[in-house]
Amino acid sequence: MGEQVLVFDLDDTLYLERDFAASGFRAVDAWLANHLGAEGFAGHCEAAASGHSGRVFDTALAAIGIAIDEALVGQLVAVYRGHRPEIALADDARRYLERARVGRRAIITDGPAATQQAKVKALGLEALVDRVIFTDLWGREFWKPHARAYEAIETWADVKQDSLVYIADNPLKDFVTPRRRGWQTVMVAREARVHRTAAPDEAHQADRRISDLDELDEALRSLAAGEAVSR
């Protein structure tokens, strides 16, 4: 194996996705207070989200006594997705990415492109990685597990597939395609991550599982040495 090219997911891999949600709830709360004089919306969003409600804004609006209106909910979603996020890299991610760089790094991330671009900017990641692929710029049909982003990285990196390592958090979509293409894979299983569903089968599992990026170097050494898979 030659140079290992590290390719990271963004949400819940380099920062906590719940922090973006809290930032977005605050932005929507401020918008509602300014336009409708409503108060307490963010707190009700947090409660609904922690209860795994599928319609957080509907639940929060009902809780503060505002009739649920499709146009209003659409406006709130636009505010949420379009706000300037107040987020920070996880401490371990900052430590890892701010070290003297060895080899190349990239990011593949799903989600509305403008939202993901705002996250990358807020986190200062342009200065810490060499390439960022926002799959939504091609259309939602190209979100993971579609192969297009991985193919683009392969062309850019120009290394053997087993020198590419995808580091991500969600076994439902993150690992099946790169593994099929011969990449190495590492799951970051943060305690506070949003997606906690187990892999549906062996093909969706990662080659290694770590709790944060402080453990990444050891996982990379293990992969490079060809040691037996431990999941």
Side-chain angles (χ1 to χ4, degrees):
M1 180 184 297
E3 170 202 2
Q4 280 182 314
V5 178
L6 307 185
V7 187
F8 295 90
D9 175 47
L10 179 59
D11 301 306
D12 270 345
T13 299
L14 298 180
Y15 85 103
L16 288 178
E17 189 170 354
R18 70 180 187 185
D19 290 347
F20 175 81
S23 174
F25 295 155
R26 291 192 298 271
V28 175
D29 185 295
W31 188 93
L32 277 170
N34 185 50
H35 288 79
L36 298 179
E39 296 182 353
F41 185 76
H44 289 293
C45 285
E46 293 276 7
S50 65
H52 305 289
S53 169
R55 300 186 65 85
V56 169
F57 287 172
D58 288 5
T59 302
L61 285 171
I64 61 175
I66 295 179
I68 298 170
D69 172 84
E70 185 175 338
L72 174 60
V73 172
Q75 177 62 52
L76 301 186
V77 170
V79 171
Y80 178 90
R81 291 180 175 172
H83 84 286
R84 181 180 297 177
E86 297 176 354
I87 54 177
L89 290 171
D91 289 343
D92 56 284
R94 182 172 298 281
R95 282 191 294 271
Y96 195 91
L97 294 176
E98 289 186 347
R99 293 185 328 197
R101 198 179 310 186
V102 177
R104 287 170 291 167
R105 304 168 180 161
I107 291 172
I108 296 173
T109 182
D110 290 340
T115 302
Q116 300 307 101
Q117 288 167 337
K119 292 175 183 177
V120 166
K121 183 175 182 180
L123 295 168
L125 285 166
E126 302 101 323
L128 298 173
V129 302
D130 304 293
R131 177 83 185 271
V132 183
I133 291 180
F134 302 97
T135 58
D136 193 55
L137 291 175
W138 296 321
R140 185 166 184 141
E141 65 270 28
F142 293 104
W143 289 18
K144 298 174 288 184
H146 195 281
R148 183 169 177 176
Y150 303 101
E151 293 169 352
I153 289 292
E154 289 169 6
T155 299
W156 164 75
D158 192 24
V159 296
K160 293 181 178 180
Q161 273 92 342
D162 65 358
S163 293
L164 292 159
V165 186
Y166 194 50
I167 302 145
D169 71 291
N170 187 352
L172 293 182
K173 65 173 184 174
D174 283 332
F175 308 117
V176 61
T177 302
R179 283 192 63 198
R180 187 182 299 129
R181 301 183 68 82
W183 293 33
Q184 309 280 6
T185 53
V186 178
M187 178 178 174
V188 183
R190 296 187 180 281
E191 182 61 32
R193 69 190 185 278
V194 171
H195 301 289
R196 307 186 70 87
T197 305
D201 53 41
E202 193 276 338
H204 284 76
Q205 293 181 355
D207 298 306
R208 297 289 184 276
R209 180 186 176 107
I210 60 177
S211 59
D212 60 40
L213 297 190
D214 288 333
E215 301 173 7
L216 180 57
D217 281 345
E218 181 57 37
L220 295 175
R221 283 191 290 270
S222 173
L223 289 169
E227 295 173 6
V229 171
S230 58
R231 298 191 177 99

